[in-house]
Amino acid sequence: MRLKLQNIGIIEEADINIEGITLIAGQNDSGKSTVGKVLYSLIRSFNIDEKSFNSSKNEFIRNRIRDIRNLILRAKTTSGEDKKIQEKFVSAFLDNEHSLFERYGYRTNADNTENTEKLLSELKSIKELYSNFSNESIKIQIETFVNDIINRASITIDSNEVLHYELESFFENEFGKQVKNKFKKGASFVKIDGVKEKKISFDEHTVFEGFDTTSNIYYNDVFFIESPIKLHDRNFLSFDNILRDKNRYLNNKIFQPKKEQDIFSDTKDDIEKLNSIISDVINGEFGFNSKNELVFKKNKVEFDLNNVATGIKSFGVLQLLLQKGILNLNSLLIIDEPEVHLHPTWQVKYAEILVRLSKEFAIPMLLTSHSPYFIEALESYSKKYNFETLTNFYLAEKNKNGLTSKIIDVTKDITPILSSISDAFYKIQDIND
């Protein structure tokens, strides 16, 4: 899979091969994490399930109901007739506990036919009520919002509208309203090369090309490890079934019951061997107690996560994903700067585990780093385990003005990465001299 970016975030240009292990190195604020956020948004959007779909549909309708309420309440009345219309709206809908437009009224499920019919009936009444309102702009906006709700209520999970809405929602969740590069003119897009090219353009309006429900995104799931600090000791009850936030999604996956059968069923010994290597490094193992709380076990003694070093948690996340059997060749593993909480010795060991994990279980990975220990270890272990043809290295290099960056392929020679990192060493040497 090739991912191409142009004027996305700080990235001016990128052409990246996502296969085996892909590492992006670079300074802070050079766009390393941007690539992971883009891939996370794409993969999650394509793999929304029925439960998430219904939650997403309800979310959209709730937001539009809120938009209608706020629009009407802000509207200025210019005549006695306008004032009567506003008062009737307040009494018939806002102050009516049986109305779905009452402040806490809309709590229906997307598949609840009775509530959907009631909603459509109320929308019709609101349109009729405001048909005589003097402000034409308000009338047009109300009609637009009403039509949005009617369309959303009628669409099914396999519609292109749902996919496009999810893509926009996930990108907004990761980038806010600032997907497009603010310092560079020209087209802004995300493109995926494959059997059928897919492209999202972020200009005045978001435009989708090739993104339809008949195509796929090559992966069924994605796990983004942003920081082991985000690992919780329990799965907190959430009313958000969509779980767009990558940290909450990862935590939720870790607490799901282990599948009875998965692609690792015939490689149980290899999994246990890899788990054993991790246990030897951290001198313990992560697991769940009788209350289904996540704990660290060391010499048969259980430790609360609050009393566990962050570096140990870094290995623990991998261990838990292995135990659950949810990492496989159809899921992309994204790890953002894994070295941050690790001693150099553990950085080297972590790199070895990742190389073995990717090679022995065909798990694709996207990694970001600015650690010479981790990057060189990754290169060395990819050679040791004959995995170098499936290990790609890229450098996120800032332009002279510092406002944009380009991601350059340095797989054949990672010297540019090491040179950019060694600047700090030479700076210290200059000070000493």
Side-chain angles (χ1 to χ4, degrees):
M1 170 183 171
R2 293 202 73 87
L3 178 70
K4 296 181 180 180
L5 308 180
Q6 182 172 300
N7 295 335
I8 300 294
I10 195 174
I11 298 175
E12 179 183 333
E13 187 180 334
D15 184 351
I16 303 165
N17 184 34
I18 307 297
E19 182 183 17
I21 295 177
T22 299
L23 179 130
I24 304 175
Q27 300 176 11
N28 292 330
D29 190 35
S30 59
K32 302 190 306 296
S33 301
T34 298
V35 179
K37 291 179 179 180
V38 167
L39 283 167
Y40 178 81
S41 301
L42 290 170
I43 296 168
R44 285 294 314 281
S45 300
F46 261 89
N47 293 288
I48 187 170
D49 56 28
E50 191 77 33
K51 187 176 182 181
S52 299
F53 164 69
N54 287 333
S55 295
S56 179
K57 180 186 282 191
N58 279 317
E59 175 190 66
F60 180 90
I61 294 174
R62 277 197 301 271
N63 289 341
R64 278 293 178 261
I65 287 176
R66 178 204 60 204
D67 292 340
I68 292 173
R69 279 198 305 246
N70 292 343
L71 175 68
I72 290 174
L73 290 175
R74 288 197 303 265
K76 292 182 179 180
T77 58
T78 57
S79 66
E81 182 65 23
D82 282 354
K83 191 172 182 181
K84 288 179 181 178
I85 292 172
Q86 292 284 61
E87 290 173 349
K88 189 170 182 180
F89 174 78
V90 171
S91 62
F93 298 98
L94 293 190
D95 291 344
N96 181 2
E97 63 179 12
H98 300 294
S99 170
L100 295 177
F101 280 79
E102 188 266 338
R103 186 176 180 186
Y104 300 106
Y106 189 68
R107 293 290 183 271
T108 183
N109 293 321
D111 56 352
N112 188 316
T113 305
E114 184 179 342
N115 273 19
T116 300
E117 289 177 354
K118 182 179 180 181
L119 172 63
L120 296 177
S121 175
E122 289 195 336
L123 289 171
K124 183 180 178 182
S125 298
I126 290 172
K127 278 182 67 175
E128 290 176 353
L129 176 63
Y130 277 83
S131 62
N132 295 320
F133 201 72
S134 62
N135 190 322
E136 283 295 323
S137 175
I138 295 295
K139 287 162 63 175
I140 291 171
Q141 285 182 293
I142 289 175
E143 186 169 359
T144 299
F145 289 149
V146 168
N147 289 337
D148 284 346
I149 294 175
I150 292 172
N151 292 335
R152 182 63 51 171
S154 64
I155 63 175
T156 57
I157 192 172
D158 58 351
S159 65
N160 290 340
E161 290 88 347
V162 170
L163 175 59
H164 296 170
Y165 173 73
E166 289 304 319
L167 284 164
E168 286 188 287
S169 298
F170 271 101
F171 270 94
E172 184 174 336
N173 190 67
E174 293 300 325
F175 296 94
K177 299 291 186 181
Q178 298 181 338
V179 179
K180 189 174 179 178
N181 191 310
K182 296 294 182 182
F183 302 104
K184 189 74 176 177
K185 293 182 180 180
S188 172
F189 63 79
V190 170
K191 186 189 293 184
I192 301 170
D193 286 346
V195 177
K196 184 178 181 181
E197 184 181 278
K198 302 173 183 65
K199 182 179 179 181
I200 309 177
S201 300
F202 300 94
D203 293 307
E204 288 187 18
H205 303 287
T206 305
V207 179
F208 301 93
E209 300 173 42
F211 279 90
D212 54 61
T213 54
T214 60
S215 57
N216 63 61
I217 201 71
Y218 308 108
Y219 300 104
N220 295 334
D221 212 338
V222 56
F223 306 106
F224 196 124
I225 303 176
E226 192 171 34
S227 169
I229 295 174
K230 304 290 186 178
L231 186 64
H232 301 302
D233 61 350
R234 58 182 61 83
N235 193 21
F236 294 104
L237 181 65
S238 173
F239 297 102
D240 177 15
N241 291 322
I242 308 171
L243 291 173
R244 290 199 177 97
D245 179 79
K246 47 189 175 290
N247 296 305
R248 293 176 66 187
Y249 181 71
L250 176 66
N251 205 67
N252 180 265
K253 283 287 186 177
I254 286 173
F255 274 85
Q256 283 185 1
K258 184 177 180 179
K259 298 177 183 178
E260 292 184 9
Q261 291 184 338
D262 51 63
I263 74 157
F264 293 137
S265 58
D266 59 344
T267 56
K268 183 179 178 182
D269 292 341
D270 292 331
I271 285 292
E272 289 181 354
K273 188 186 296 182
L274 209 51
N275 248 328
S276 178
I277 292 172
I278 296 175
S279 295
D280 288 342
V281 174
I282 61 179
N283 196 23
E285 186 175 16
F286 283 81
F288 296 88
N289 62 17
S290 57
K291 298 178 182 178
N292 200 36
E293 295 172 329
L294 186 56
V295 295
F296 177 63
K297 299 175 184 178
K298 186 176 183 179
N299 292 336
K300 297 183 180 180
V301 177
E302 293 184 355
F303 291 88
D304 185 276
L305 281 199
N306 293 325
N307 299 317
V308 179
T310 306
I312 291 178
K313 292 178 185 177
S314 299
F315 286 89
V317 176
L318 290 180
Q319 198 171 56
L320 290 163
L321 290 173
L322 283 169
Q323 290 172 6
K324 293 294 180 179
I326 53 179
L327 278 179
N328 55 60
L329 57 86
N330 293 313
S331 60
L332 178 66
L333 178 62
I334 302 172
I335 310 180
D336 196 35
E337 298 179 356
E339 73 273 3
V340 171
H341 303 285
L342 298 177
H343 182 277
T345 303
W346 277 16
Q347 290 182 34
V348 173
K349 203 65 186 174
Y350 198 88
E352 179 185 13
I353 289 169
L354 291 179
V355 170
R356 291 188 59 180
L357 194 60
S358 186
K359 179 180 180 178
E360 295 172 22
F361 306 108
I363 297 170
M365 299 178 186
L366 173 68
L367 313 171
T368 67
S369 177
H370 41 49
S371 164
Y373 303 108
F374 179 78
I375 294 167
E376 290 195 80
L378 196 73
E379 183 189 40
S380 298
Y381 280 119
S382 68
K383 291 177 180 177
K384 177 181 177 180
Y385 291 107
N386 298 316
F387 200 59
E388 54 187 318
T389 57
L390 286 172
T391 303
N392 305 289
F393 292 88
Y394 292 86
L395 173 63
E397 189 174 51
K398 280 189 175 182
N399 293 327
K400 290 182 180 180
N401 59 15
L403 300 176
T404 61
S405 69
K406 291 183 179 180
I407 296 185
I408 305 163
D409 189 345
V410 294
T411 302
K412 293 181 179 180
D413 180 11
I414 69 168
T415 302
I417 291 178
L418 301 179
S419 297
S420 69
I421 295 172
S422 63
D423 285 346
F425 170 78
Y426 292 122
K427 180 72 173 178
I428 295 171
Q429 194 158 355
D430 287 344
I431 296 169
N432 289 331
D433 292 343

